[in-house]
């Protein structure tokens, strides 16, 4: 599939490649943490703050696509059984295109984070590292139930929420960091619970492919 020849179809395939439910979750976390940071720091709404919000959102979206894309690149045979609608498994994207998207989004995530601040760079770097260890052989932590679950709810629940709040408070207060407040911890624990549930039940529909190709997570 060619972007120039079939732009609408290509973009729809890219939307599927990005795993929309993760994009929505990431976006909600970014915007919620920004609102909390503005409220806690009494910073008000400024164009500079909006720039930080937009940049952090782009960095997080790129990191998100890198992580879910890397998983698809290394799970093609499994996805042909469990998730045949995904672009690489369905033949809509070539493996080389998938690898290119993963590489580009990983670089962009680090670049945006580096430009915006040290806390965002630290958060994105840790998230990318864990996402890489989750999917990439020979480590491929998704094979092991405990480590697979830990990867998912540590990134989704703790690292993203605490990291974003530290970044936004640092940016809004011109270099001064505010420690996580009760609202941030409440949001973090709320998402931790749901992330744990996702980690436990995400593989239930995928038992057939996982058994056939020996990719064990929660079976």
């Amino acid at each position: 599939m060619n972007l120039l020849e079939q732009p609408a179809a290509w973009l729809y395939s890219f939307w599927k490649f990005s795993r929309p439910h993760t994009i929505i979750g990431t976006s909600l976390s970014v915007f919620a943490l920004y609102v909390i940071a503005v409220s806690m720091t009494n910073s008000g709404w400024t164009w500079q703050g909006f720039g930080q919000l937009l940049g952090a959102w782009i960095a997080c979206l790129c990191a998100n696509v890198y992580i879910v894309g890397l998983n698809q690149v290394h799970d093609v045979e499994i996805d042909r059984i469990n998730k045949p609608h995904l672009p690489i498994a369905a033949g809509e994207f070539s493996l080389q295109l998938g690898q290119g998207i993963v590489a580009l989004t990983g670089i962009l995530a680090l670049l945006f984070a580096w430009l915006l601040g040290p806390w965002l760079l630290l958060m994105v770097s840790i998230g990318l590292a864990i996402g890489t260890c989750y999917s990439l052989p020979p480590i491929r932590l998704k094979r092991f139930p405990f480590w697979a679950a830990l990867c998912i709810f540590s990134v989704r629940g703790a690292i993203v929420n605490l990291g974003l709040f530290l970044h936004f408070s640092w940016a809004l207060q011109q270099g001064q960091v505010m420690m996580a407040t009760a609202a941030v911890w409440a949001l973090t624990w709320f998402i931790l619970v749901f992330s744990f549930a996702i980690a436990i039940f995400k593989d239930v529909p995928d038992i057939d492919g996982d058994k056939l190709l020996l990719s064990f997570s929660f079976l």
Side-chain angles (χ1 to χ4, degrees):
M1 185 181 297
N2 189 292
L3 173 60
L4 297 179
E5 295 176 357
Q6 299 174 286
W10 193 96
L11 290 173
Y12 178 63
S13 294
F14 179 74
W15 176 242
K16 292 190 294 180
F17 183 80
S18 71
R19 306 307 305 274
H21 65 284
T22 66
I23 292 293
I24 293 170
T26 296
S27 299
L28 289 175
S29 289
V30 172
F31 290 113
L33 267 299
Y34 181 75
V35 170
I36 292 173
V38 168
S39 175
M40 293 296 102
T41 59
N42 297 314
S43 301
W45 299 85
T46 65
W47 284 111
Q48 182 180 359
F50 179 75
Q52 283 287 343
L53 170 62
L54 182 61
W57 184 44
I58 294 173
C60 290
L61 290 184
C62 287
N64 193 108
V65 174
Y66 169 87
I67 291 171
V68 298
L70 185 66
N71 189 52
Q72 292 172 66
V73 164
H74 289 280
D75 273 3
V76 178
E77 296 302 323
I78 296 174
D79 286 342
R80 284 176 179 156
I81 299 171
N82 293 335
K83 302 180 181 76
H85 63 282
L86 293 178
I88 298 178
E92 298 168 3
F93 281 1
S94 67
L95 182 61
Q96 291 73 22
L97 177 58
Q99 292 170 336
I101 293 173
V102 168
L104 178 61
T105 52
I107 292 170
L108 287 175
L110 290 171
L111 178 61
F112 271 91
W114 174 69
L115 291 173
L116 290 170
W119 289 106
L120 185 63
L121 179 59
L122 179 63
M123 184 206 77
V124 168
S125 298
I126 293 174
L128 293 182
I130 293 175
T132 300
C133 291
Y134 179 84
S135 297
L136 191 66
I139 301 175
R140 200 166 166 79
L141 293 176
K142 66 178 295 180
R143 296 175 297 161
F144 310 106
F146 173 79
W147 293 110
L150 186 63
C151 287
I152 292 170
F153 67 74
S154 64
V155 173
R156 284 284 172 193
I159 294 170
V160 168
N161 290 287
L162 297 177
L164 281 172
F165 180 77
L166 290 173
H167 167 68
F168 286 137
S169 69
W170 174 87
L172 293 170
Q173 297 186 118
Q174 300 180 341
Q176 295 183 354
V177 176
M178 174 183 288
M179 291 298 101
T181 64
V184 176
W185 283 112
L187 178 63
T188 299
W189 281 107
F190 177 79
I191 295 178
L192 268 173
V193 171
F194 279 91
S195 298
F196 182 75
I198 291 170
I200 295 294
F201 294 110
K202 73 178 184 66
D203 284 339
V204 171
D206 299 341
I207 291 177
D208 292 339
D210 290 346
K211 282 183 176 179
L212 182 63
L213 295 166
L214 302 178
S215 176
F216 300 108
S217 184
F218 280 91
L219 296 178

